[in-house]
Amino acid sequence: MSKMIKPWIKLIALIIALPILSYISLRVGVIPVGHTDVLALGSDASSQAMIALNDNRIPRTVVALLVGSVLGLAGLLFQLVTRNPLASPDILAVNAGASLAIVLVTLFGFSSIASFTSAALVGAFIAGVIVYLLSANGGNVMYMTLAGASLAALFSSFTQSIIAYEEGALDEVLFWLTGSVAGRSLALVTTLLPWMIVASLCVLLISKELETLSLGDQVARSLGQNVGVIKFVAVTLAVVLSAFGVALAGPIAFVGLLAPHLARYMFGTAFFARLAGSALLGSVLLLSADIFGRLVLFPREVTVGVVLAVIGGAFFIYLVSARQGVFKS
Amino acid sequence: MNTFDLQQVVIGYDQKMVLEDLTFSIPHGKITVLLGANGCGKSTLLSTLARQRDVLGGTIAFRDKPLDAYRAKEAARLMAFMPQVNVAPDGLTVEQLVRFGRYPYQTFFKRYSEDDERAVERALAFTDTVSLRDTLVSNLSGGQKQRVWIALALAQESETILLDEPTTYLDMSHQIEILDLMYRLNRLEGKTIIMVLHDLHLACRYADHIIALAGGNVYRQGSPNDVVDEDFMQDVFGLKVVVTEDPLYGTPLCIPYSHYELNEKRPPTT
């Protein structure tokens, strides 16, 4: 069935899903927000519903849409470049590296948006470089996954111990670290938004190059591609996108793993659609998971990080066990 | 003009030299076969010529110009390289794969054109894969797969084609099919073919020029009749043979001795 429908129709369907999910996201939560409240957006009414919308629902919806798309895109880039179906920003320790760096700068008293973001970028890069060096011998899929997973564990334990010792100073960061789209400032969103758009457009611009790379390094080189340059650009973009995602929403797991696989299932070899689809599916996934987290234990909220860890963990196990070929190459 | 001219070239990887002080030429418009025992560096040499790895020393000229002076896509319009092992992404059809051969002609502003379409059709026709165009590459047999990857290289419309053991894993009829294809490409289309083969018999039949490697350098080069004899087989492959003549084509045919007496009685089976 999935072959009968044209890729662009599926893309449009995904694009249509975004405002629908956003509308649901604005309505769902402890404080009741009605249809008329959503329609009254922008007016300076100071009802309880309007406060909930402006201070909570709108920021978290925007953050979920943005973070989902950058993580989905970053995950696909990592999977393409490393040829590792288990690669994603969280499994390759990039998210954990960014988180640790953010906790460190907060510990030393920096709390500006700029320091927050640059810490995330630096941490993500360092983690990426370490995983690359650890798995450089042949680029074996197994080595890379293990190196990434163990480095991620190491980084998170550093992060945890810093928090254990400096609990008071890091109150703010604590909530952020659980991976949540709620309680984020719109200031950070508006600062990062243009950069996210630029980075995402860059990914779409090198779509043809990435597609050619999927034939293997040797064939891509024989076809006249500067394989090293393309890989470097792709990984850099993936690290930057992941760092933005972490800076906004904390270390959110599994979106970067799940979205590209769903996109592959939906779009097959329609490559450009697969790229765009990964981003859109990332948004759909993260926003749906956030809405689900608000409903599942109503009136209490489960953070989106926890929801995704449960769904994504199961999916990861499925990937490893069902696709037995994964570890053989 | 020669297709390649090597001057004191050093080839290897990870600072480990495999071949040293190589000085030879590969003729234009001919079928050249690189021969040698396993691990002698013939594949490493081929992939170096194909710009897949860096030279450790010396100079390689490709069509009278330093090999590293070509821009990547410019080189790809002049030479195509087919690695020994190729894996197409899941879900890719034959035609989709062959279309990638046009990558060196495309730029950001100039995407798929009519010239590209024509080159792809020609490549499919020449390799007899037109009827497979909508088949998934992953569903093809070994021989079909190989023809499709050759079609990808043909779509590049390069004058030179380098192939690393294109007949490995194929049964004999498909080996002949692939080598016939190389022969037609050379004789009908005037392409320069450079390949690594390990079937000595077929190498002698199809090669115009053989370059044999042993002991880290070129051991001997020339036409199959000039190159292959009993001493050559002993020195290059460490194998005692009788060289006779292929009854069909008159090229050298080596009949190897075994290391054991084969007329010994077999143990009784129970």
Side-chain angles (χ1 to χ4, degrees):
Chain A
M1 178 212 91
S2 68
K3 287 219 168 58
M4 312 272 292
I5 305 169
K6 290 239 181 321
W8 62 268
I9 296 180
K10 295 188 216 171
L11 277 183
I12 289 175
L14 283 176
I15 292 171
I16 292 172
L18 296 181
I20 297 173
L21 280 171
S22 303
Y23 174 79
I24 299 173
S25 168
L26 294 182
R27 295 275 312 264
V28 169
V30 181
I31 299 167
V33 171
H35 180 65
T36 44
D37 296 318
V38 175
L39 287 184
L41 262 180
S43 66
D44 46 355
S46 57
S47 64
Q48 206 190 14
M50 206 48 76
I51 293 168
L53 272 175
N54 284 326
D55 291 358
N56 179 298
R57 306 278 168 82
I58 293 173
R60 82 188 297 172
T61 304
V62 173
V63 167
L65 290 172
L66 289 176
V67 171
S69 71
V70 294
L71 289 180
L73 213 45
L76 179 60
L77 286 174
F78 280 127
Q79 288 173 18
L80 284 172
V81 172
T82 62
R83 247 173 271 289
N84 178 356
L86 300 177
S88 67
D90 41 308
I91 286 158
L92 295 184
V94 173
N95 282 358
S99 308
L100 177 58
I102 286 177
V103 170
L104 281 174
V105 294
T106 316
L107 185 66
F108 289 108
F110 300 96
S111 58
S112 70
I113 288 173
S115 60
F116 212 65
T117 312
S118 35
L121 282 169
V122 170
F125 265 106
I126 292 174
V129 169
I130 296 177
V131 171
Y132 172 77
L133 292 177
L134 284 176
S135 57
N137 47 357
N140 184 301
V141 168
M142 170 89 132
Y143 277 137
M144 190 192 305
T145 311
L146 288 178
S150 34
L151 193 68
L154 184 70
F155 281 162
S156 338
S157 57
F158 283 151
T159 310
Q160 297 303 329
S161 37
I162 293 171
I163 287 169
Y165 280 108
E166 300 288 339
E167 213 176 327
L170 294 168
D171 249 0
E172 256 177 84
V173 185
L174 210 55
F175 176 65
W176 169 84
L177 264 182
T178 57
S180 166
V181 293
R184 309 297 173 190
S185 78
L186 270 179
L188 190 56
V189 174
T190 45
T191 312
L192 289 184
L193 184 62
W195 297 105
M196 288 178 161
I197 292 174
V198 168
S200 305
L201 285 180
C202 287
V203 176
L204 297 181
L205 286 181
I206 58 166
S207 152
K208 185 76 199 171
E209 277 61 36
L210 293 169
E211 189 181 6
T212 305
L213 189 62
S214 69
L215 298 181
D217 290 10
Q218 286 189 312
V219 173
R221 213 174 278 125
S222 161
L223 289 170
Q225 176 168 107
N226 290 312
V227 170
V229 174
I230 294 299
K231 280 188 167 181
F232 178 78
V233 171
V235 169
T236 305
L237 286 170
V239 167
V240 167
L241 287 168
S242 317
F244 287 161
V246 174
L248 270 182
I252 286 191
F254 293 115
V255 173
L257 182 72
L258 265 153
H261 281 279
L262 290 176
R264 190 195 175 88
Y265 178 76
M266 271 181 87
F267 298 104
T269 51
F271 195 82
F272 187 84
R274 209 173 125 199
L275 274 182
S278 280
L280 292 171
L281 281 163
S283 301
V284 168
L285 264 174
L286 192 53
L287 190 51
S288 310
D290 186 43
I291 296 169
F292 181 76
R294 280 180 251 167
L295 290 172
V296 66
L297 291 181
F298 194 84
R300 295 184 59 201
E301 272 190 21
V302 181
T303 61
V304 68
V306 175
V307 174
L308 279 166
V310 174
I311 304 171
F315 181 72
F316 184 75
I317 292 166
Y318 159 78
L319 261 191
V320 173
S321 58
R323 298 192 44 167
Q324 296 203 327
V326 162
F327 278 128
K328 282 184 185 156
S329 51
Chain B
M1 182 179 81
N2 290 317
T3 295
F4 284 104
D5 290 292
L6 287 77
Q7 283 288 332
Q8 292 160 342
V9 170
V10 184
I11 282 169
Y13 41 84
D14 301 339
Q15 302 304 310
K16 203 186 92 195
M17 279 182 288
V18 176
L19 294 162
E20 240 183 303
D21 198 21
L22 289 174
T23 300
F24 66 89
S25 296
I26 294 180
H28 179 81
K30 298 237 163 88
I31 298 180
T32 298
V33 172
L34 304 178
L35 275 184
N38 289 341
C40 73
K42 52 191 192 296
S43 287
T44 315
L45 171 60
L46 190 78
S47 63
T48 308
L49 296 179
R51 295 172 36 115
Q52 297 283 331
R53 54 177 80 242
D54 292 332
V55 190
L56 299 185
T59 55
I60 299 180
F62 173 59
R63 299 163 72 98
D64 298 334
K65 190 173 144 185
L67 186 58
D68 53 14
Y70 289 88
R71 284 180 304 107
K73 284 195 174 178
E74 185 188 4
R77 292 191 288 264
L78 296 170
M79 71 157 100
F81 169 63
M82 193 174 107
Q84 188 177 354
V85 180
N86 295 296
V87 182
D90 292 340
L92 207 66
T93 65
V94 167
E95 186 177 349
Q96 285 173 330
L97 177 67
V98 175
R99 279 172 173 236
F100 279 103
R102 303 305 293 171
Y103 181 80
Y105 295 88
Q106 291 162 355
T107 62
F108 187 73
F109 299 103
K110 184 181 165 294
R111 298 270 152 159
Y112 211 68
S113 72
E114 270 176 38
D115 280 349
D116 297 334
E117 197 68 56
R118 224 170 293 132
V120 167
E121 292 308 318
R122 260 176 71 77
L124 290 172
F126 205 92
T127 52
D128 198 17
T129 49
V130 177
S131 60
L132 301 173
R133 68 188 321 146
D134 294 322
T135 314
L136 293 182
V137 178
S138 50
N139 290 346
L140 298 176
S141 72
Q144 289 171 329
K145 254 183 207 156
Q146 217 57 346
R147 294 212 311 270
V148 166
W149 284 100
I150 291 169
L152 167 70
L154 289 187
Q156 270 177 260
E157 294 188 315
S158 60
E159 191 274 329
T160 305
I161 301 180
L162 300 92
L163 306 98
D164 193 358
E165 303 209 8
T167 57
T168 319
Y169 309 124
L170 297 182
D171 59 35
M172 192 170 269
S173 74
H174 290 105
Q175 291 183 28
I176 296 288
E177 179 183 280
I178 295 297
L179 292 171
D180 279 348
L181 180 57
M182 293 302 124
Y183 187 81
R184 287 197 296 133
L185 279 173
N186 172 257
R187 296 303 197 263
L188 302 179
E189 307 271 304
K191 305 234 185 229
T192 302
I193 309 280
I194 303 166
M195 53 187 167
V196 169
L197 286 180
H198 64 202
D199 187 310
L200 193 73
H201 175 203
L202 294 178
C204 289
R205 179 182 293 182
Y206 285 93
D208 298 311
H209 190 74
I210 284 179
I211 296 171
L213 303 170
N217 211 316
V218 175
Y219 175 83
R220 203 180 271 178
Q221 56 178 317
S223 72
N225 282 309
D226 294 340
V227 168
V228 178
D229 58 26
E230 274 92 354
D231 290 341
F232 167 86
M233 290 302 292
Q234 184 65 55
D235 292 347
V236 173
F237 293 99
L239 195 61
K240 194 176 167 210
V241 302
V242 172
V243 176
T244 162
E245 200 173 82
D246 182 325
L248 294 177
Y249 297 93
T251 47
L253 177 61
C254 300
I255 318 272
Y257 284 89
S258 291
H259 296 300
Y260 295 97
E261 291 293 331
L262 293 183
N263 54 3
E264 271 176 27
K265 261 192 160 168
R266 294 199 161 85
T269 49
T270 49

